[in-house]
Amino acid sequence: MKLTFDAETESFRQTFVDWLEANMPPEAATTERPSSTADLPQWARDWQRTQFDAGWLVPGNPPEYGGQNATLIQQFIHNEVLATRHVADSFNPQALGIIVPSILTFGTEEQKERWAIPILRGELTAALGMSEPNAGSDLAGLRTKAVLDGEEFVLNGQKVWTSGAHDADVILTFVRTDPDAPKHKGISCILVPTDTEGVTRRPFGSYISPEDLDFNEVFFDDARVPAENLLGPLNAGWKVANGSLGHERAMLWLNYSAALDRFVDEFRNAVAGTDAADDDRLVDWYGSVAIDAQAVKLLGYRTLAKTRRGMIPTEQSILKLFSSESNQDAHARAIEELGALGLDHETLSGPFRHLHLDGYMNSWFDGYLRTFAGTIAGGTSEIQRNIVAERVLGMPR
Amino acid sequence: MDFELDEDQIALQSAAAEILQKECPPSLLRAVIDGKGVDDDLWQTLVGLDWPALAIDPDAGGSGATAVELGLVIEQLGYVADPTPFLATATQFAPVIEASSDAEQRRRFLGPIATGGTGTLAVAGPTGRWDPADPPVSAERTSGGVRLSGRASFVIDGDRADEIAVLAATDSGPLAVVVPRADATVTREPAFDLTMHVTTVDLTGVTVPDDRVLAVDDPTAAFTAALESAVTGLSLMTVGACQRAFDMALAYTKERHQFDVPIGSFQALKHKAVDMYTLIERARALGLFAALCIAEGDPRRPLAAAMAKAAAGDAQHLVFKHTVQFFGGIGFTWENDLHLYLRRAKAAELIFGGAAHHRAIVGRHVLSGADL
Ligand SMILES: Cc1cc2nc3c(=O)[nH]c(=O)nc-3n(C[C@H](O)[C@H](O)[C@H](O)COP(=O)(O)OP(=O)(O)OC[C@H]3O[C@@H](n4cnc5c(N)ncnc54)[C@H](O)[C@@H]3O)c2cc1C
């Protein structure tokens, strides 16, 4: 147990920081705001490509996939530098974090060439089609159907919440291919190009603003997709859904941790010059947020250290739950503590934070609304609690 | 940061768990509470294992391990609600003595710990504020040494410590003085943790020779630093006690059936269990971080200790209320062992400042721009 990493690791960090400072696009070049999580302005495509070519996009990958075969600890350092500097590697995060790893794990060589590499280079963008109107937490209850007809799958059904679908070139779509099998065993995963006839995308506003268009309904009406677009074996879609939660996702906590750290800083700035430090109630609450921020980091470090040693990092299971709820409570209290100042509402018109994904939403209120993405998307807090209780604590189903 | 235990640390942790659960079962605690048994054998076992002197410098007769190893043992002591004078000796008394620049003094007062000597520190006044800037005891230099006057409150193990480290105010600034317990008038006070010795130490009229005045430049700073060790130790002891209560309640949810199913299948209990698990892990991580900061002499140690104590307090609050509830009526009985551990966790919250006190320290510190 040591407070610092070894010299070799620190020198890796310095190498990346130096590279970043030399290659990050300047603020003036990044003023065009991405309008969804699959909308890449040219500067964002170029930035992603620059990282890809230099092996810094996904350092753990081999060079042909934008990496340098970095070790786990090096991947962590890379993520930590980006997170603490609030620099986004990609403005199509679901593609880099979930879709590409799924293709690289389960795809054929052709699929990696056709989809993974162009997505990594920022030439194509992707969306994730899992949820449906009647299949949210109960994802395995999904009903969108795909039937093999000769050399093609024919898709019918509907997805919803599909972030960025209207700007995406391809949707990683989970479909039912065996209606008679038990529900987890009849699911497959298909790459559906969005220009396929019979695919209709309808973006709709989030509660942040009617102009915050990221959510989509996606309809499939006899949409025909080549059979070769099946990712992984037929009816093995559930495995693909779970398998994409590999190393990349194991480091997602860094983003939550960075969000909490950012909160601690921003709230301090917001009350600078006031007599906030004399308000015992406020100090008490703010202290607990700072404690949460530190605890998330420590639990994350512990997860990393255990993973490295081949131990099972049970703490990992609570990182998303704990940090997303803490971040949410912090924002709610912040608005209330700010009183009338909390009414400030810059929303989409506010300045776009240089290279930072969450910089769209600038008011404290919008920040609070955003925190519910953490407690709903990717498995709600309630579902997370069920999973931890059953799998970590061994409580009966 | 490499935040995982190495092999030796893991071995120490599991040895401590195994030995303590065997040597300190609930029946021992009950015997001590009922006045039918004593904890001498347990203390001798701990001494035999060299644990009280674990983090003490080898030059002064200790084992030379760090605050991290000590912390691991303390967590396991919390798991069994240790009734011995371990905590005050290792995390309160020893750190004060270590501040002495006089090697002879360090050997004299730390050396005996390896063979079962005990100690504590006295700094709180009757209101229970542990503030080294405002000690309840004062001193006067006399020809025979230093004459003390005043009473220190909430001294842990004052009745069974061989030596008591006292911070005493004088006209020319405070002194750190080591008083033989035999010279003081010590009263054990009633406390709801029935195996914790909470005492009042009256020092009025006690004179100690000059060689019992510690050679420290800044006695207030020495006591402040010792309190950081004390707070970290109590935090990890709380984590251990919480873990025990949690393990008991969790096991019960798998055994007890109602409505023909194990009660652990009820989601209301599952979600509470996860919330307890989360707060215990949060407190454990911060407790070990504080121990690591102490071990490495990191400047964040005051902040880290305050975070650890606040998090331990948050954990015990939730664990107390949920675990009793998990047991239903059985949780309300004297016979159920749960309360033995909950008493320790709650008592630890009340000593050296509770969660709210430490959150305020953290809040002010970070609000003023300090880095985490
Ligand atoms: C910002 C955002 C972005 C998203 N992006 C995408 C995307 O790109 N692609 C995609 O496929 N999906 C996406 N989603 C959808 C997301 O995965 C679902 O919203 C989520 O899985 C919850 O499903 P639901 O909305 O149908 O809620 P429901 O499942 O209907 O849940 C409603 C409430 O019931 C509770 N509940 C449900 N089941 C249980 C249970 N067993 N035990 C206890 N409580 C339960 C839930 O916790 C919740 O509080 C996104 C969602 C958000 C908010």
mmCIF file of all heavy atoms in Angstrom, chain A residues 37 94 127-139 159-164 214-215 370 372-383 386, chain B residues 267 271, ligand 1:
data_model
loop_
_atom_site.group_PDB
_atom_site.id
_atom_site.type_symbol
_atom_site.label_atom_id
_atom_site.label_comp_id
_atom_site.label_asym_id
_atom_site.label_seq_id
_atom_site.Cartn_x
_atom_site.Cartn_y
_atom_site.Cartn_z
ATOM 1 N N THR A 37 -24.912 12.995 -28.677
ATOM 2 C CA THR A 37 -23.795 12.106 -28.339
ATOM 3 C C THR A 37 -23.315 11.289 -29.530
ATOM 4 O O THR A 37 -22.465 10.411 -29.373
ATOM 5 C CB THR A 37 -24.179 11.140 -27.194
ATOM 6 O OG1 THR A 37 -25.346 10.422 -27.590
ATOM 7 C CG2 THR A 37 -24.429 11.879 -25.903
ATOM 8 N N GLN A 94 -20.672 6.473 -26.201
ATOM 9 C CA GLN A 94 -21.215 5.106 -26.176
ATOM 10 C C GLN A 94 -20.510 4.220 -27.203
ATOM 11 O O GLN A 94 -20.398 3.011 -27.027
ATOM 12 C CB GLN A 94 -22.742 5.092 -26.348
ATOM 13 C CG GLN A 94 -23.291 5.603 -27.675
ATOM 14 C CD GLN A 94 -23.457 7.115 -27.707
ATOM 15 O OE1 GLN A 94 -22.563 7.855 -27.298
ATOM 16 N NE2 GLN A 94 -24.590 7.591 -28.196
ATOM 17 N N ALA A 127 -24.693 4.320 -32.274
ATOM 18 C CA ALA A 127 -25.640 4.429 -31.157
ATOM 19 C C ALA A 127 -25.940 3.031 -30.634
ATOM 20 O O ALA A 127 -25.680 2.030 -31.311
ATOM 21 C CB ALA A 127 -26.916 5.119 -31.605
ATOM 22 N N LEU A 128 -26.498 3.003 -29.422
ATOM 23 C CA LEU A 128 -26.732 1.730 -28.740
ATOM 24 C C LEU A 128 -28.237 1.489 -28.605
ATOM 25 O O LEU A 128 -28.928 2.233 -27.904
ATOM 26 C CB LEU A 128 -26.086 1.798 -27.353
ATOM 27 C CG LEU A 128 -26.135 0.536 -26.515
ATOM 28 C CD1 LEU A 128 -25.357 -0.595 -27.178
ATOM 29 C CD2 LEU A 128 -25.554 0.827 -25.128
ATOM 30 N N GLY A 129 -28.732 0.460 -29.300
ATOM 31 C CA GLY A 129 -30.167 0.184 -29.288
ATOM 32 C C GLY A 129 -30.508 -0.996 -28.416
ATOM 33 O O GLY A 129 -30.609 -2.133 -28.881
ATOM 34 N N MET A 130 -30.660 -0.718 -27.151
ATOM 35 C CA MET A 130 -31.038 -1.779 -26.217
ATOM 36 C C MET A 130 -32.486 -1.599 -25.759
ATOM 37 O O MET A 130 -33.341 -2.448 -25.977
ATOM 38 C CB MET A 130 -30.117 -1.768 -25.000
ATOM 39 C CG MET A 130 -28.684 -2.179 -25.288
ATOM 40 S SD MET A 130 -27.710 -2.160 -23.754
ATOM 41 C CE MET A 130 -26.726 -3.621 -23.974
ATOM 42 N N SER A 131 -32.748 -0.455 -25.102
ATOM 43 C CA SER A 131 -34.042 -0.265 -24.444
ATOM 44 C C SER A 131 -35.202 -0.146 -25.439
ATOM 45 O O SER A 131 -35.038 0.334 -26.552
ATOM 46 C CB SER A 131 -34.009 1.010 -23.609
ATOM 47 O OG SER A 131 -32.884 1.016 -22.777
ATOM 48 N N GLU A 132 -36.355 -0.582 -24.957
ATOM 49 C CA GLU A 132 -37.597 -0.468 -25.722
ATOM 50 C C GLU A 132 -38.670 0.077 -24.782
ATOM 51 O O GLU A 132 -38.491 0.075 -23.565
ATOM 52 C CB GLU A 132 -38.023 -1.847 -26.240
ATOM 53 C CG GLU A 132 -37.004 -2.441 -27.197
ATOM 54 C CD GLU A 132 -37.428 -3.805 -27.740
ATOM 55 O OE1 GLU A 132 -38.551 -4.279 -27.413
ATOM 56 O OE2 GLU A 132 -36.630 -4.385 -28.494
ATOM 57 N N PRO A 133 -39.802 0.478 -25.376
ATOM 58 C CA PRO A 133 -40.858 1.016 -24.504
ATOM 59 C C PRO A 133 -41.231 0.051 -23.374
ATOM 60 O O PRO A 133 -41.489 0.476 -22.253
ATOM 61 C CB PRO A 133 -42.019 1.231 -25.464
ATOM 62 C CG PRO A 133 -41.369 1.463 -26.797
ATOM 63 C CD PRO A 133 -40.142 0.605 -26.803
ATOM 64 N N ASN A 134 -41.212 -1.247 -23.662
ATOM 65 C CA ASN A 134 -41.571 -2.197 -22.613
ATOM 66 C C ASN A 134 -40.399 -3.021 -22.103
ATOM 67 O O ASN A 134 -40.596 -4.034 -21.447
ATOM 68 C CB ASN A 134 -42.696 -3.111 -23.104
ATOM 69 C CG ASN A 134 -44.002 -2.351 -23.173
ATOM 70 O OD1 ASN A 134 -44.424 -1.720 -22.197
ATOM 71 N ND2 ASN A 134 -44.617 -2.337 -24.346
ATOM 72 N N ALA A 135 -39.211 -2.608 -22.435
ATOM 73 C CA ALA A 135 -38.029 -3.327 -21.947
ATOM 74 C C ALA A 135 -36.986 -2.314 -21.512
ATOM 75 O O ALA A 135 -36.183 -1.836 -22.310
ATOM 76 C CB ALA A 135 -37.466 -4.246 -23.030
ATOM 77 N N GLY A 136 -37.071 -1.927 -20.262
ATOM 78 C CA GLY A 136 -36.107 -0.984 -19.708
ATOM 79 C C GLY A 136 -35.199 -1.737 -18.764
ATOM 80 O O GLY A 136 -34.240 -2.385 -19.179
ATOM 81 N N SER A 137 -35.537 -1.691 -17.479
ATOM 82 C CA SER A 137 -34.760 -2.480 -16.514
ATOM 83 C C SER A 137 -34.801 -3.960 -16.880
ATOM 84 O O SER A 137 -33.825 -4.672 -16.729
ATOM 85 C CB SER A 137 -35.337 -2.284 -15.112
ATOM 86 O OG SER A 137 -35.212 -0.934 -14.739
ATOM 87 N N ASP A 138 -35.937 -4.375 -17.371
ATOM 88 C CA ASP A 138 -36.074 -5.771 -17.787
ATOM 89 C C ASP A 138 -35.682 -5.885 -19.253
ATOM 90 O O ASP A 138 -36.501 -6.211 -20.117
ATOM 91 C CB ASP A 138 -37.534 -6.209 -17.570
ATOM 92 C CG ASP A 138 -37.747 -7.684 -17.870
ATOM 93 O OD1 ASP A 138 -36.738 -8.411 -18.004
ATOM 94 O OD2 ASP A 138 -38.915 -8.086 -17.978
ATOM 95 N N LEU A 139 -34.425 -5.620 -19.515
ATOM 96 C CA LEU A 139 -33.932 -5.569 -20.886
ATOM 97 C C LEU A 139 -34.204 -6.866 -21.644
ATOM 98 O O LEU A 139 -34.524 -6.853 -22.834
ATOM 99 C CB LEU A 139 -32.421 -5.276 -20.869
ATOM 100 C CG LEU A 139 -31.731 -5.219 -22.230
ATOM 101 C CD1 LEU A 139 -32.300 -4.091 -23.072
ATOM 102 C CD2 LEU A 139 -30.233 -5.051 -22.050
ATOM 103 N N LYS A 159 -37.225 0.699 -30.753
ATOM 104 C CA LYS A 159 -36.327 1.026 -29.637
ATOM 105 C C LYS A 159 -36.681 2.426 -29.132
ATOM 106 O O LYS A 159 -37.308 3.215 -29.842
ATOM 107 C CB LYS A 159 -34.875 1.020 -30.119
ATOM 108 C CG LYS A 159 -34.380 -0.348 -30.571
ATOM 109 C CD LYS A 159 -34.163 -1.255 -29.394
ATOM 110 C CE LYS A 159 -33.954 -2.698 -29.801
ATOM 111 N NZ LYS A 159 -33.873 -3.590 -28.635
ATOM 112 N N VAL A 160 -36.219 2.723 -27.925
ATOM 113 C CA VAL A 160 -36.428 4.083 -27.414
ATOM 114 C C VAL A 160 -35.237 4.466 -26.540
ATOM 115 O O VAL A 160 -34.505 3.583 -26.080
ATOM 116 C CB VAL A 160 -37.769 4.199 -26.645
ATOM 117 C CG1 VAL A 160 -37.714 3.451 -25.315
ATOM 118 C CG2 VAL A 160 -38.156 5.674 -26.426
ATOM 119 N N TRP A 161 -35.044 5.737 -26.344
ATOM 120 C CA TRP A 161 -33.935 6.355 -25.582
ATOM 121 C C TRP A 161 -32.616 6.298 -26.343
ATOM 122 O O TRP A 161 -31.595 6.733 -25.813
ATOM 123 C CB TRP A 161 -33.710 5.681 -24.213
ATOM 124 C CG TRP A 161 -34.925 5.447 -23.400
ATOM 125 C CD1 TRP A 161 -35.377 4.260 -22.956
ATOM 126 C CD2 TRP A 161 -35.838 6.431 -22.926
ATOM 127 N NE1 TRP A 161 -36.528 4.423 -22.239
ATOM 128 C CE2 TRP A 161 -36.830 5.753 -22.210
ATOM 129 C CE3 TRP A 161 -35.928 7.822 -23.055
ATOM 130 C CZ2 TRP A 161 -37.903 6.400 -21.610
ATOM 131 C CZ3 TRP A 161 -36.990 8.473 -22.461
ATOM 132 C CH2 TRP A 161 -37.957 7.765 -21.743
ATOM 133 N N THR A 162 -32.623 5.733 -27.558
ATOM 134 C CA THR A 162 -31.397 5.456 -28.295
ATOM 135 C C THR A 162 -30.591 6.744 -28.506
ATOM 136 O O THR A 162 -30.782 7.464 -29.490
ATOM 137 C CB THR A 162 -31.770 4.805 -29.647
ATOM 138 O OG1 THR A 162 -32.945 4.026 -29.449
ATOM 139 C CG2 THR A 162 -30.637 3.965 -30.167
ATOM 140 N N SER A 163 -29.694 7.014 -27.583
ATOM 141 C CA SER A 163 -28.985 8.303 -27.573
ATOM 142 C C SER A 163 -28.221 8.520 -28.874
ATOM 143 O O SER A 163 -27.440 7.668 -29.301
ATOM 144 C CB SER A 163 -27.987 8.361 -26.407
ATOM 145 O OG SER A 163 -28.668 8.228 -25.189
ATOM 146 N N GLY A 164 -28.455 9.668 -29.476
ATOM 147 C CA GLY A 164 -27.702 10.079 -30.660
ATOM 148 C C GLY A 164 -28.075 9.345 -31.940
ATOM 149 O O GLY A 164 -27.444 9.580 -32.978
ATOM 150 N N ASP A 214 -31.176 14.348 -27.950
ATOM 151 C CA ASP A 214 -30.255 13.220 -27.937
ATOM 152 C C ASP A 214 -31.057 11.919 -27.978
ATOM 153 O O ASP A 214 -30.767 11.016 -28.732
ATOM 154 C CB ASP A 214 -29.367 13.283 -26.689
ATOM 155 C CG ASP A 214 -28.117 12.409 -26.838
ATOM 156 O OD1 ASP A 214 -27.664 12.220 -27.979
ATOM 157 O OD2 ASP A 214 -27.607 11.913 -25.815
ATOM 158 N N PHE A 215 -32.115 11.868 -27.173
ATOM 159 C CA PHE A 215 -33.001 10.694 -27.178
ATOM 160 C C PHE A 215 -33.616 10.494 -28.549
ATOM 161 O O PHE A 215 -33.915 11.473 -29.247
ATOM 162 C CB PHE A 215 -34.168 10.918 -26.218
ATOM 163 C CG PHE A 215 -33.828 10.748 -24.768
ATOM 164 C CD1 PHE A 215 -34.500 11.511 -23.815
ATOM 165 C CD2 PHE A 215 -32.896 9.817 -24.339
ATOM 166 C CE1 PHE A 215 -34.239 11.357 -22.462
ATOM 167 C CE2 PHE A 215 -32.628 9.660 -22.980
ATOM 168 C CZ PHE A 215 -33.296 10.433 -22.048
ATOM 169 N N ARG A 370 -29.068 16.574 -15.149
ATOM 170 C CA ARG A 370 -28.135 15.634 -15.787
ATOM 171 C C ARG A 370 -27.775 14.465 -14.879
ATOM 172 O O ARG A 370 -27.482 13.373 -15.356
ATOM 173 C CB ARG A 370 -26.817 16.348 -16.117
ATOM 174 C CG ARG A 370 -26.865 17.182 -17.306
ATOM 175 C CD ARG A 370 -25.864 16.688 -18.353
ATOM 176 N NE ARG A 370 -26.503 16.808 -19.646
ATOM 177 C CZ ARG A 370 -26.462 15.882 -20.591
ATOM 178 N NH1 ARG A 370 -25.788 14.780 -20.401
ATOM 179 N NH2 ARG A 370 -27.088 16.068 -21.718
ATOM 180 N N PHE A 372 -29.408 12.615 -13.183
ATOM 181 C CA PHE A 372 -30.301 11.451 -13.240
ATOM 182 C C PHE A 372 -29.906 10.478 -14.348
ATOM 183 O O PHE A 372 -30.344 9.334 -14.346
ATOM 184 C CB PHE A 372 -31.762 11.891 -13.372
ATOM 185 C CG PHE A 372 -32.297 12.444 -12.082
ATOM 186 C CD1 PHE A 372 -32.102 13.767 -11.736
ATOM 187 C CD2 PHE A 372 -32.964 11.619 -11.184
ATOM 188 C CE1 PHE A 372 -32.562 14.274 -10.533
ATOM 189 C CE2 PHE A 372 -33.427 12.111 -9.973
ATOM 190 C CZ PHE A 372 -33.229 13.448 -9.648
ATOM 191 N N ALA A 373 -29.104 10.944 -15.294
ATOM 192 C CA ALA A 373 -28.561 9.990 -16.267
ATOM 193 C C ALA A 373 -27.767 8.928 -15.507
ATOM 194 O O ALA A 373 -27.843 7.738 -15.811
ATOM 195 C CB ALA A 373 -27.676 10.706 -17.281
ATOM 196 N N GLY A 374 -27.046 9.351 -14.491
ATOM 197 C CA GLY A 374 -26.225 8.418 -13.707
ATOM 198 C C GLY A 374 -27.035 7.437 -12.887
ATOM 199 O O GLY A 374 -26.600 6.313 -12.650
ATOM 200 N N THR A 375 -28.211 7.845 -12.437
ATOM 201 C CA THR A 375 -28.991 6.938 -11.581
ATOM 202 C C THR A 375 -30.040 6.152 -12.364
ATOM 203 O O THR A 375 -30.692 5.280 -11.799
ATOM 204 C CB THR A 375 -29.685 7.714 -10.441
ATOM 205 O OG1 THR A 375 -30.481 8.769 -10.995
ATOM 206 C CG2 THR A 375 -28.651 8.321 -9.487
ATOM 207 N N ILE A 376 -30.226 6.499 -13.662
ATOM 208 C CA ILE A 376 -31.212 5.760 -14.474
ATOM 209 C C ILE A 376 -30.553 4.943 -15.581
ATOM 210 O O ILE A 376 -30.822 3.745 -15.722
ATOM 211 C CB ILE A 376 -32.255 6.737 -15.089
ATOM 212 C CG1 ILE A 376 -33.054 7.430 -13.984
ATOM 213 C CG2 ILE A 376 -33.196 5.978 -16.029
ATOM 214 C CD1 ILE A 376 -33.984 8.536 -14.478
ATOM 215 N N ALA A 377 -29.697 5.609 -16.385
ATOM 216 C CA ALA A 377 -29.129 4.903 -17.541
ATOM 217 C C ALA A 377 -28.135 3.837 -17.094
ATOM 218 O O ALA A 377 -27.553 3.931 -16.023
ATOM 219 C CB ALA A 377 -28.460 5.898 -18.484
ATOM 220 N N GLY A 378 -27.967 2.833 -17.954
ATOM 221 C CA GLY A 378 -26.983 1.786 -17.667
ATOM 222 C C GLY A 378 -27.309 0.987 -16.417
ATOM 223 O O GLY A 378 -26.418 0.517 -15.711
ATOM 224 N N GLY A 379 -28.599 0.819 -16.129
ATOM 225 C CA GLY A 379 -29.001 0.077 -14.928
ATOM 226 C C GLY A 379 -29.330 1.057 -13.817
ATOM 227 O O GLY A 379 -28.442 1.751 -13.323
ATOM 228 N N THR A 380 -30.596 1.132 -13.434
ATOM 229 C CA THR A 380 -31.006 2.118 -12.424
ATOM 230 C C THR A 380 -30.370 1.797 -11.069
ATOM 231 O O THR A 380 -29.902 0.679 -10.837
ATOM 232 C CB THR A 380 -32.538 2.131 -12.227
ATOM 233 O OG1 THR A 380 -32.918 0.885 -11.626
ATOM 234 C CG2 THR A 380 -33.277 2.317 -13.548
ATOM 235 N N SER A 381 -30.392 2.773 -10.188
ATOM 236 C CA SER A 381 -29.826 2.550 -8.850
ATOM 237 C C SER A 381 -30.513 1.377 -8.145
ATOM 238 O O SER A 381 -29.864 0.624 -7.416
ATOM 239 C CB SER A 381 -29.979 3.813 -8.000
ATOM 240 O OG SER A 381 -29.154 4.832 -8.506
ATOM 241 N N GLU A 382 -31.808 1.240 -8.374
ATOM 242 C CA GLU A 382 -32.531 0.134 -7.727
ATOM 243 C C GLU A 382 -32.033 -1.207 -8.270
ATOM 244 O O GLU A 382 -31.821 -2.158 -7.508
ATOM 245 C CB GLU A 382 -34.044 0.271 -7.953
ATOM 246 C CG GLU A 382 -34.680 1.445 -7.214
ATOM 247 C CD GLU A 382 -34.318 2.814 -7.790
ATOM 248 O OE1 GLU A 382 -34.057 2.890 -9.015
ATOM 249 O OE2 GLU A 382 -34.257 3.789 -7.028
ATOM 250 N N ILE A 383 -31.852 -1.251 -9.596
ATOM 251 C CA ILE A 383 -31.342 -2.492 -10.197
ATOM 252 C C ILE A 383 -29.923 -2.770 -9.694
ATOM 253 O O ILE A 383 -29.561 -3.914 -9.392
ATOM 254 C CB ILE A 383 -31.377 -2.384 -11.750
ATOM 255 C CG1 ILE A 383 -32.828 -2.281 -12.233
ATOM 256 C CG2 ILE A 383 -30.652 -3.554 -12.405
ATOM 257 C CD1 ILE A 383 -33.704 -3.488 -11.954
ATOM 258 N N ASN A 386 -30.195 -4.317 -6.349
ATOM 259 C CA ASN A 386 -30.585 -5.731 -6.445
ATOM 260 C C ASN A 386 -29.373 -6.592 -6.776
ATOM 261 O O ASN A 386 -29.150 -7.643 -6.176
ATOM 262 C CB ASN A 386 -31.637 -5.938 -7.552
ATOM 263 C CG ASN A 386 -32.966 -5.278 -7.236
ATOM 264 O OD1 ASN A 386 -33.202 -4.850 -6.113
ATOM 265 N ND2 ASN A 386 -33.831 -5.172 -8.227
ATOM 266 N N GLN B 267 -36.962 -7.121 -0.938
ATOM 267 C CA GLN B 267 -36.154 -6.046 -1.512
ATOM 268 C C GLN B 267 -35.908 -4.909 -0.521
ATOM 269 O O GLN B 267 -34.855 -4.273 -0.546
ATOM 270 C CB GLN B 267 -36.844 -5.512 -2.761
ATOM 271 C CG GLN B 267 -35.899 -4.784 -3.657
ATOM 272 C CD GLN B 267 -36.550 -4.427 -4.968
ATOM 273 O OE1 GLN B 267 -37.588 -3.762 -4.992
ATOM 274 N NE2 GLN B 267 -35.965 -4.860 -6.051
ATOM 275 N N HIS B 271 -32.037 -3.629 -0.193
ATOM 276 C CA HIS B 271 -31.540 -2.286 -0.492
ATOM 277 C C HIS B 271 -30.896 -1.646 0.737
ATOM 278 O O HIS B 271 -29.877 -0.958 0.634
ATOM 279 C CB HIS B 271 -32.665 -1.426 -1.077
ATOM 280 C CG HIS B 271 -33.006 -1.830 -2.487
ATOM 281 N ND1 HIS B 271 -33.743 -1.052 -3.333
ATOM 282 C CD2 HIS B 271 -32.688 -2.940 -3.196
ATOM 283 C CE1 HIS B 271 -33.858 -1.666 -4.511
ATOM 284 N NE2 HIS B 271 -33.247 -2.812 -4.442
HETATM 285 C C1 LIG C 1 -29.852 9.912 -20.256
HETATM 286 C C2 LIG C 1 -30.226 8.536 -20.687
HETATM 287 C C3 LIG C 1 -29.618 7.981 -21.796
HETATM 288 C C4 LIG C 1 -29.970 6.711 -22.241
HETATM 289 N N1 LIG C 1 -29.366 6.210 -23.354
HETATM 290 C C5 LIG C 1 -29.731 4.986 -23.811
HETATM 291 C C6 LIG C 1 -29.150 4.453 -25.000
HETATM 292 O O1 LIG C 1 -28.324 5.099 -25.652
HETATM 293 N N2 LIG C 1 -29.551 3.244 -25.417
HETATM 294 C C7 LIG C 1 -30.456 2.493 -24.734
HETATM 295 O O2 LIG C 1 -30.748 1.390 -25.150
HETATM 296 N N3 LIG C 1 -31.041 2.968 -23.609
HETATM 297 C C8 LIG C 1 -30.697 4.197 -23.131
HETATM 298 N N4 LIG C 1 -31.289 4.693 -21.984
HETATM 299 C C9 LIG C 1 -32.348 3.920 -21.355
HETATM 300 C C10 LIG C 1 -31.987 3.322 -20.005
HETATM 301 O O3 LIG C 1 -31.133 2.216 -20.153
HETATM 302 C C11 LIG C 1 -33.287 2.958 -19.301
HETATM 303 O O4 LIG C 1 -33.985 4.159 -19.060
HETATM 304 C C12 LIG C 1 -33.081 2.213 -18.018
HETATM 305 O O5 LIG C 1 -32.577 0.929 -18.260
HETATM 306 C C13 LIG C 1 -34.371 2.117 -17.191
HETATM 307 O O6 LIG C 1 -35.439 1.632 -17.940
HETATM 308 P P1 LIG C 1 -36.837 2.402 -17.964
HETATM 309 O O7 LIG C 1 -36.566 3.806 -18.318
HETATM 310 O O8 LIG C 1 -37.738 1.630 -18.832
HETATM 311 O O9 LIG C 1 -37.355 2.372 -16.471
HETATM 312 P P2 LIG C 1 -38.144 1.180 -15.750
HETATM 313 O O10 LIG C 1 -37.395 -0.076 -15.930
HETATM 314 O O11 LIG C 1 -39.555 1.204 -16.155
HETATM 315 O O12 LIG C 1 -38.003 1.608 -14.243
HETATM 316 C C14 LIG C 1 -38.892 2.524 -13.608
HETATM 317 C C15 LIG C 1 -38.601 2.496 -12.100
HETATM 318 O O13 LIG C 1 -38.853 1.178 -11.603
HETATM 319 C C16 LIG C 1 -37.718 0.676 -10.928
HETATM 320 N N5 LIG C 1 -37.594 -0.763 -11.123
HETATM 321 C C17 LIG C 1 -37.708 -1.464 -12.272
HETATM 322 N N6 LIG C 1 -37.453 -2.762 -12.049
HETATM 323 C C18 LIG C 1 -37.175 -2.896 -10.744
HETATM 324 C C19 LIG C 1 -36.809 -3.993 -9.903
HETATM 325 N N7 LIG C 1 -36.655 -5.235 -10.375
HETATM 326 N N8 LIG C 1 -36.566 -3.743 -8.605
HETATM 327 C C20 LIG C 1 -36.703 -2.474 -8.106
HETATM 328 N N9 LIG C 1 -37.035 -1.416 -8.835
HETATM 329 C C21 LIG C 1 -37.260 -1.623 -10.147
HETATM 330 C C22 LIG C 1 -36.556 1.408 -11.579
HETATM 331 O O14 LIG C 1 -35.418 1.411 -10.750
HETATM 332 C C23 LIG C 1 -37.137 2.789 -11.781
HETATM 333 O O15 LIG C 1 -37.044 3.507 -10.588
HETATM 334 C C24 LIG C 1 -30.954 5.982 -21.542
HETATM 335 C C25 LIG C 1 -31.558 6.537 -20.424
HETATM 336 C C26 LIG C 1 -31.223 7.799 -20.001
HETATM 337 C C27 LIG C 1 -31.914 8.379 -18.811
#
